[in-house]
């Protein structure tokens, strides 16, 4: 290998990394609050010069990561971003992604922690970490229950857009008090987590917080449940606030927003 080839890789590689970082900063500037941007907007957000931005945008547009229209040009994310998002979501293992957060919740509460997702009018337990306490409650992976029953279901249902009569259909056959149910859903939306006591198991308290996907759609709930000899209402509210933080972190991991 000659001296010239020995000297070239370092500066070229360094410049390539800077270009990639800048291109990623440009892509990250777009979002729900800024779906389309002018170059003037991008100058303020990413702090690059117009010539540099135009070079990056031209390359990104050639590769399909942004599109442009209008005069002056407005830029939006392109189909290549959607393709990457689809590839990422198709290979996403929600249980594995949630496991570290479930472990944090399990360590903090020392109660059973479970991950639920919606399946029609039901919720499905996707993962569970049983409490180490001698007296505890658990359901097990694969357990299903109506969304209208239990904190883990209502945490999902409270943020699910419902058509006229759909709540009544979901509650059919459960003996649920619709007025009470509507109040519980409203309270869940207000505080960000759902609570339940003596509902599915006598002597059990449950609390759950919702998490959301990249479209802002509720994707499931993270719940904790245990006996009311340990879980006072004060303690349950403390767990609820903690679960909100864990659920928001899971939302962020899914590229989502509350």
């Amino acid at each position: 290998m000659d001296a010239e080839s020995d000297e070239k890789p370092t500066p070229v590689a360094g410049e390539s990394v800077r270009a990639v970082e800048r291109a990623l900063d440009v892509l990250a500037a777009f979002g729900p609050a800024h779906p389309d941007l002018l170059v003037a907007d991008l100058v303020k957000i990413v702090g690059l010069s117009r010539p540099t931005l135009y070079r990056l945008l031209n390359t990104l547009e050639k590769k399909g990561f942004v599109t442009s229209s209008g005069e002056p040009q407005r830029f939006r994310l392109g189909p290549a971003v959607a393709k990457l998002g689809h590839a990422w979501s198709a290979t996403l293992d929600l249980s594995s992604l949630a496991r570290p957060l479930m472990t944090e919740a399990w360590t903090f509460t020392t109660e059973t922690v479970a991950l639920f997702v919606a399946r029609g009018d039901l919720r499905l337990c996707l993962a569970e970490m049983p409490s180490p306490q001698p007296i505890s409650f658990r359901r097990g992976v694969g357990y299903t229950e109506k969304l209208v029953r239990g904190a883990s279901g209502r945490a999902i249902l409270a943020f699910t857009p419902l058509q006229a009569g759909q709540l009544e259909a979901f509650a059919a056959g459960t003996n649920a008090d619709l007025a009470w149910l509507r109040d519980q859903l409203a309270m869940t939306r207000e505080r960000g987590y759902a609570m339940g006591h003596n509902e599915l198991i006598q002597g059990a308290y449950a609390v759950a917080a919702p998490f959301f996907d990249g479209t802002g759609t509720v994707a499931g709930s993270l719940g904790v449940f245990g006996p009311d000899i340990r879980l006072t209402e004060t303690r349950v509210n403390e767990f609820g606030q903690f679960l909100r933080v864990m659920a928001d972190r899971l939302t962020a991991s899914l590229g989502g927003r509350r």
Side-chain angles (χ1 to χ4, degrees):
M1 186 178 292
D2 59 28
E4 184 180 2
S5 61
D6 283 339
E7 293 174 359
K8 281 186 176 179
T10 300
V12 172
E15 179 61 33
S16 297
V17 169
R18 284 194 294 273
V20 171
E21 287 176 346
R22 289 168 174 173
L24 292 174
D25 286 342
V26 171
L27 293 176
F30 297 91
H34 305 289
D36 53 75
L37 294 166
L38 298 168
V39 169
D41 300 323
L42 288 166
V43 166
K44 295 176 183 177
I45 295 170
V46 300
L48 297 175
S49 67
R50 283 176 177 265
T52 299
L53 269 174
Y54 275 116
R55 286 197 298 270
L56 289 171
L57 289 167
N58 183 54
T59 300
L60 289 170
E61 189 164 19
K62 283 182 179 178
K63 295 295 184 179
F65 285 93
V66 298
T67 60
S68 66
S69 62
E71 184 58 43
Q73 273 184 305
R74 302 194 73 91
F75 291 88
R76 300 178 64 91
L77 293 177
V81 174
K83 185 178 179 181
L84 283 180
H86 177 73
W88 174 73
S89 61
T91 58
L92 181 64
D93 184 342
L94 182 57
S95 297
S96 296
L97 194 65
R99 182 64 58 175
L101 300 171
M102 293 178 66
T103 300
E104 284 190 50
W106 184 83
T107 301
F108 180 78
T109 65
T110 70
E111 303 293 347
T112 297
V113 179
L115 179 74
F116 289 90
V117 293
R119 293 291 183 267
D121 64 346
L122 301 174
R123 57 182 164 98
L124 166 70
C125 181
L126 209 59
E128 185 179 81
M129 299 182 69
S131 169
Q133 308 265 19
I135 300 174
S136 62
F137 301 112
R138 63 195 69 181
R139 289 300 196 179
V141 174
Y143 166 76
T144 59
E145 181 55 83
K146 289 278 193 176
L147 284 174
V148 298
R149 303 187 69 209
S152 299
R154 287 195 299 276
I156 298 171
L157 191 59
F159 296 90
T160 301
L162 298 175
Q163 303 297 322
Q166 195 171 4
L167 183 62
E168 290 80 356
F170 280 10
T174 65
N175 297 320
D177 183 320
L178 288 173
W180 175 86
L181 180 57
R182 289 190 177 94
D183 285 344
Q184 289 297 311
L185 295 178
M187 290 172 62
T188 298
R189 285 189 288 270
E190 181 178 347
R191 65 190 171 207
Y193 58 89
M195 295 167 55
H197 187 211
N198 291 331
E199 194 172 349
L200 295 173
I201 303 174
Q202 191 66 28
Y205 234 131
V207 57
F211 58 91
F212 301 81
D213 64 19
T215 68
T217 301
V218 63
S221 66
L222 193 60
V224 166
F225 40 94
D228 55 14
I229 56 173
R230 291 194 301 269
L231 276 69
T232 62
E233 185 171 344
T234 299
R235 190 75 168 141
V236 169
N237 277 299
E238 181 184 349
F239 288 175
Q241 294 292 344
F242 183 85
L243 286 174
R244 276 196 64 171
V245 175
M246 295 297 101
D248 285 349
R249 284 171 56 187
L250 182 54
T251 295
S253 296
L254 291 168
R257 57 190 174 85
R258 177 179 287 274

